[in-house]
Amino acid sequence: MDKNKKQALEKFKEKFEEICEKWNSFAVSEEELKEYKAIYNKDLDKIIENAGKIEISYIAIGDNPGDNEKTSSRYMQNDNSTPRLRKFYKILGNHNLPPKDYEDDWSDVNVLVLNKVPISTPTTDKLRPLLEYKDFLKCQQEMADAIKELATNLDVEIHVFGHSLITDYKDYNTGETKEAIFPKYQDLIKNQNKIRAYYHPSKKKYFEPYLKMDKKQLLQEGERGVEYRRNIFLKD
């Protein structure tokens, strides 16, 4: 990667750390929010350190860090989701991936793994109580803006994993309409050119069919994901 791209990563790192610090400072001031800690992804440091050997091709955006990520300070460390996501990127031609289906190091591949917010919870739905706090919405807006700027500066494609929580949706078990957890990502889906949207790898039933596709089919499926979500915006 060239000097300008490395500088773009370094600038993003500063913003990413700032977003985490701002949220953590706010959370410790609120008794009921002390368990909601923002987690920085340390793999980014290794990617910057090895910038001469790595060329980032994709930015993968999950939902938020879970318990494993909270412990390791590294993203996508889930025994179920990680193997699926690594197989996904093997289809897209990432030959730097190790042969094992599960490998917890994302710092030596051409994928930068991020999340819609850096705030850790055991499950993504546990973020729902935070919607009443403007600082939570500000956190995800700042993260979305920073990712958009980074993708533009690196000239890479964004892959959004888990796009259903960006808009209000119906719970298939209860029929109840639930409020979007990540509404501040709607603009990214609407307006970013180099972007594709997929089911989250934790959703085995919906994600595993991707792993039977070839590269062309997989890219087309990502285009359909974005188009589907944009059509929902038009109805609102």
Side-chain angles (χ1 to χ4, degrees):
M1 119 180 17
D2 64 29
K3 177 179 157 185
N4 289 336
K5 290 183 178 180
K6 182 178 180 182
Q7 289 175 342
L9 282 169
E10 290 170 339
K11 180 180 179 182
F12 173 78
K13 167 185 164 67
E14 291 178 6
K15 184 62 179 178
F16 187 5
E17 289 177 327
E18 177 188 319
I19 291 170
C20 291
E21 289 168 5
K22 283 166 63 177
W23 171 261
N24 286 335
S25 294
F26 167 70
V28 297
S29 69
E30 303 285 333
E31 184 62 35
E32 66 274 20
L33 299 181
K34 288 182 178 179
E35 64 186 271
Y36 293 96
K37 184 178 180 182
I39 305 298
Y40 171 79
N41 184 11
K42 290 182 178 178
D43 277 344
L44 178 58
D45 296 339
K46 293 179 71 174
I47 289 172
I48 293 172
E49 182 182 335
N50 296 319
K53 304 175 183 177
I54 299 172
E55 189 71 36
I56 299 296
S57 300
Y58 307 105
I59 295 176
I61 307 176
D63 288 331
N64 69 307
D67 289 339
N68 290 343
E69 288 83 359
K70 186 176 182 179
T71 300
S72 66
S73 293
R74 297 167 67 209
Y75 286 2
M76 197 52 70
Q77 304 292 306
N78 184 287
D79 290 352
N80 295 316
S81 298
T82 303
R84 295 182 196 129
L85 193 62
R86 293 182 82 83
K87 287 179 181 179
F88 178 98
Y89 281 111
K90 282 183 180 179
I91 295 171
L92 293 186
N94 191 332
H95 302 297
N96 289 329
L97 285 166
K100 291 190 296 181
D101 286 340
Y102 178 72
E103 169 63 49
D104 65 1
D105 191 354
W106 285 90
S107 64
D108 60 347
V109 300
N110 66 350
V111 183
L112 173 58
V113 180
L114 298 170
N115 279 303
K116 298 180 186 74
V117 293
I119 302 165
S120 175
T121 54
T123 63
T124 300
D125 201 59
K126 298 289 185 182
L127 290 173
R128 194 168 294 285
L130 302 184
L131 286 168
E132 65 181 87
Y133 296 94
K134 63 180 182 180
D135 290 79
F136 174 64
L137 296 175
K138 183 179 180 181
C139 177
Q140 60 178 267
Q141 182 67 68
E142 290 183 349
M143 199 70 201
D145 290 344
I147 290 172
K148 181 178 180 179
E149 181 180 4
L150 177 63
T152 300
N153 290 335
L154 295 181
D155 190 25
V156 299
E157 193 166 271
I158 294 173
H159 293 163
V160 178
F161 294 97
H163 54 85
S164 61
L165 301 181
I166 292 172
T167 56
D168 294 351
Y169 66 99
K170 183 173 287 189
D171 187 308
Y172 291 110
N173 294 318
T174 65
E176 175 189 2
T177 298
K178 290 192 172 184
E179 184 179 2
I181 294 178
F182 305 112
K184 297 302 181 180
Y185 277 81
Q186 292 180 14
D187 183 68
L188 192 71
I189 291 286
K190 286 179 184 177
N191 300 312
Q192 188 76 2
N193 290 324
K194 299 178 72 170
I195 189 167
R196 301 179 199 271
Y198 299 93
Y199 289 109
H200 194 279
S202 63
K203 306 297 183 184
K204 179 180 179 180
K205 176 182 176 181
Y206 301 105
F207 194 86
E208 290 212 330
Y210 296 151
L211 307 182
K212 298 175 183 178
M213 298 178 183
D214 60 27
K215 180 176 180 178
K216 181 179 179 181
Q217 292 170 325
L218 200 52
L219 294 176
Q220 289 174 338
E221 196 65 25
E223 291 173 0
R224 280 193 283 270
V226 169
E227 193 62 31
Y228 173 75
R229 202 50 54 183
R230 286 175 176 170
N231 286 335
I232 290 177
F233 297 146
L234 291 174
K235 295 175 185 177
D236 294 339

